[in-house]
Amino acid sequence: MSPDWLTRLQQSQFVNALLNRRTVICIFTGFASGLPLFILVNLVPAWLRDLNVSLEEIGLLSLVMMPFAWKFLWAPLVDRIELPLLGLRRGWMLVTQIALLISVACLPIFDVHEQIWGIAALATAVAFFSATQDIVLDAYRREILPDEELGWGNSVHVNAYRIAALVPGSLALVLADHMDWLQVFIITAAFMLVGIVLTLSIREPQKSYHPHSFTAAVVEPFAEFINRKGMRQALAVLAFIFLYKLGDNLATALSTPFYLDMGFSKTEIGLISKSAAIPAMIIGSLMGGIIMIRTGINRSLWLFGVVQLVSILGFALLAHVGHDPSLLAAVIAFEYFGVGLGTAALVAYMAKMTDVRYTATQLALFTAIAALPRSAANASTGFIVEAIGWEQFFYFCTLCAIPGMLMLIWVAPWGRKDKPTEQAATDVAAD
């Protein structure tokens, strides 16, 4: 290998997109964003159940996640109010991360039987701080990533986001067998120091525009999006964001009950799910980012959408065959491979749809809409399965994935090259 060839390789856009400081920042943003969510999803229910709280009460506590669906309501404040010392983005990062560290650590001070409403209130506060941190982290990531790196950077973010689940979902549960829950929560909360270190070590992006009134902060992001796309195209984009992963969300909403109904034991499900899902998801996310650098976001949405759609049919096959551990592993691996690809593409697309002047509010709106299908799935799938059975249900989910694919004709045509938006402030995180 000649030195000249190596120099050209090192200076190529592709390699620079993969190996730079922005990639490292995306690792930290993903971990800091995922940790508090998975504390609420994995650790809090395990703690409550271990102390004999009823499943009904634990189920009702899932309502504390509502701030994630409504975060676009206060996102304009994050775009408008600049906190002292650290600047607009880093100031909000630090405040929310310190609040998360303290609130998570304080959860076990309540008696789970006598003060369940106190736990619910504090868990809601954790969700609020976490959703607010997501607003600012999404905005910061969009502002430092140039358009050609949106796919890769968001893939790295999604990977780190999912890996953060191992702290409350695995490490904390192991620790709980050897120490009391207060110590477990304090140790888990301390992992928010990863986010705090990130905030203190990065620079503030240079925004070209800053809303000068609350009215401007609330109205301008939505008006800009509608004016830029036109009302019909803007509605088409929002409909696409809602529909793209609808079939996939429906198919996976009751995955564990489905596996149990197929005759798999809890041990089989646990061992096969972890060993098959995590490597497939990571490979899917990383491959998705690399492919998006090469082919662009528009074409990637088509390719990855097809993978998502086909993966749903794997569940239908398992429903038809029944108990088959090898087939279960294959179905789970292919499904999570598709999830990794599709999630990376959708997150990159949402980032591309924003104007960097209004990143916090516009991304909060888009990600809230993208989260709605999961809520709808959790509320409706049980009734559908009871009515038509598992195999027919998965065929129904496959049909539900088609409208999102058809929307690509209008929002991301195959032959149209990705259009660059306003240039990100790459000088913030220059190599």
Side-chain angles (χ1 to χ4, degrees):
M1 182 183 296
S2 67
D4 290 341
W5 189 92
L6 179 60
T7 300
R8 288 196 302 271
L9 176 64
Q10 290 173 336
Q11 293 176 346
S12 70
Q13 182 184 55
F14 179 72
V15 173
N16 286 339
L18 296 181
L19 305 174
N20 58 48
R21 189 167 181 261
R22 293 182 292 276
T23 298
V24 177
I25 291 175
C26 289
I27 295 173
F28 281 80
T29 64
F31 186 90
S33 179
L35 182 66
L37 173 68
F38 290 112
I39 288 172
L40 293 174
V41 171
N42 294 333
L43 186 57
V44 170
W47 163 53
L48 296 176
R49 190 58 179 163
D50 185 61
L51 297 179
N52 299 313
V53 175
S54 69
L55 291 175
E56 291 82 358
E57 288 179 299
I58 295 174
L60 288 174
L61 278 175
S62 64
L63 295 174
V64 306
M65 307 293 285
M66 290 303 293
F68 290 99
W70 296 101
K71 60 185 179 180
F72 65 91
L73 294 177
W74 63 90
L77 298 178
V78 177
D79 255 344
R80 171 68 181 87
I81 300 176
E82 182 170 337
L83 302 178
L85 299 179
L86 295 181
L88 182 66
R89 300 304 183 211
R90 296 171 67 229
W92 280 102
M93 287 184 201
L94 187 62
V95 167
T96 54
Q97 289 159 355
I98 293 174
L100 282 166
L101 191 155
I102 295 172
S103 57
V104 169
C106 289
L107 275 168
I109 68 175
F110 292 96
D111 185 285
V112 298
H113 299 291
E114 301 295 332
Q115 299 173 303
I116 192 67
W117 288 109
I119 294 173
L122 188 53
T124 302
V126 172
F128 174 79
F129 296 136
S130 180
T132 306
Q133 183 195 219
D134 285 351
I135 293 171
V136 66
L137 289 180
D138 288 345
Y140 183 87
R141 197 170 64 255
R142 176 63 185 100
E143 289 164 358
I144 68 168
L145 289 174
D147 284 357
E148 62 270 14
E149 293 181 22
L150 285 177
W152 170 252
N154 283 291
S155 293
V156 171
H157 173 86
V158 169
N159 258 324
Y161 185 96
R162 298 298 183 95
I163 290 173
L166 297 177
V167 176
S170 296
L171 174 62
L173 298 182
V174 172
L175 293 177
D177 277 337
H178 305 282
M179 57 185 65
D180 63 53
W181 279 107
L182 179 59
Q183 293 174 303
V184 170
F185 272 87
I186 291 174
I187 292 172
T188 305
F191 278 87
M192 281 307 305
L193 291 171
V194 171
I196 293 174
V197 169
L198 166 71
T199 300
L200 296 177
S201 61
I202 58 179
R203 286 178 284 173
E204 183 73 8
Q206 297 176 359
K207 292 198 67 174
S208 59
Y209 176 78
H210 184 72
H212 297 293
S213 68
F214 286 110
T215 301
V218 172
V219 174
E220 288 182 5
F222 304 102
E224 186 281 330
F225 176 62
I226 294 172
N227 291 335
R228 169 163 46 96
K229 306 300 292 185
M231 178 61 75
R232 291 181 61 183
Q233 186 68 7
L235 292 176
V237 169
L238 297 180
F240 165 72
I241 291 172
F242 177 84
L243 292 170
Y244 186 65
K245 293 184 69 66
L246 177 61
D248 178 72
N249 285 332
L250 284 170
T252 58
L254 293 177
S255 56
T256 300
F258 165 61
Y259 302 148
L260 291 171
D261 285 355
M262 293 300 103
F264 294 99
S265 69
K266 297 182 184 67
T267 299
E268 284 180 309
I269 296 170
L271 292 176
I272 294 174
S273 294
K274 286 188 176 181
S275 59
I278 294 177
M281 181 188 65
I282 292 175
I283 292 171
S285 294
L286 295 178
M287 282 187 60
I290 294 172
I291 291 171
M292 278 186 279
I293 293 175
R294 290 295 195 185
T295 66
I297 295 173
N298 283 8
R299 291 187 177 185
S300 297
L301 286 167
W302 285 86
L303 297 172
F304 302 164
V306 171
V307 175
Q308 281 188 156
L309 190 149
V310 173
S311 70
I312 299 173
L313 293 174
F315 287 100
L317 177 63
L318 183 61
H320 181 77
V321 172
H323 186 275
D324 185 331
S326 298
L327 181 58
L328 175 64
V331 167
I332 290 176
F334 191 58
E335 164 64 18
Y336 271 81
F337 179 76
V339 168
L341 290 174
T343 300
L346 183 60
V347 171
Y349 175 81
M350 290 188 292
K352 190 183 73 166
M353 285 296 103
T354 63
D355 185 308
V356 294
R357 295 173 297 175
Y358 311 106
T359 46
T361 302
Q362 290 181 348
L363 268 176
L365 173 65
F366 297 156
T367 54
I369 291 174
L372 285 177
R374 174 63 66 182
S375 301
N378 289 339
S380 62
T381 47
F383 297 100
I384 300 173
V385 172
E386 290 290 344
I388 63 177
W390 282 113
E391 185 173 354
Q392 299 302 318
F393 168 70
F394 290 120
Y395 292 135
F396 169 75
C397 294
T398 305
L399 292 176
C400 289
I402 294 175
M405 292 296 297
L406 293 177
M407 290 298 299
L408 287 169
I409 297 172
W410 293 279
V411 302
W414 176 267
R416 182 193 299 169
K417 293 184 178 180
D418 298 341
K419 293 182 179 180
T421 55
E422 187 175 334
Q423 182 65 27
T426 53
D427 58 314
V428 175
D431 294 327

